[in-house]
Amino acid sequence: MTNDQFENLLRARLPYLPADQPLRDDANLTQLGLDSMQAMELLFDIEEEAGITVPDSAMNAETFATPSSLRAVVDQQAAEEAA
């Protein structure tokens, strides 16, 4: 999954992020409007786009805290599934 694809999926679920504002790696996703329902929808989007399955153990607040933390889980899972 490219960085642009990842950011586009995130932006679609962040109602408080203005379109003209950059999405920082350390942005607080909750403050940008990501609630638990949106997090699940985002996860489904990412899994479909990346062709991966994120394990249940990664379904926690830490994973969905920032774009960087979420991307790390996605990249790790993609690497594990490719091996």
Side-chain angles (χ1 to χ4, degrees), residues 58-75:
M59 307 296 179
N60 56 57
E62 184 178 297
T63 296
F64 291 93
T66 66
S68 180
S69 61
L70 179 56
R71 185 64 196 236
V73 169
V74 170
D75 289 347

Side-chain angles (χ1 to χ4, degrees), residues 1-7 9 45-51 71 74-75 78:
M1 168 181 297
T2 68
N3 288 335
D4 286 342
Q5 289 170 316
F6 181 76
E7 183 169 336
L9 291 174
D45 294 344
I46 289 172
E47 287 180 334
E48 184 176 328
E49 185 74 27
R71 185 64 196 236
V74 170
D75 289 347

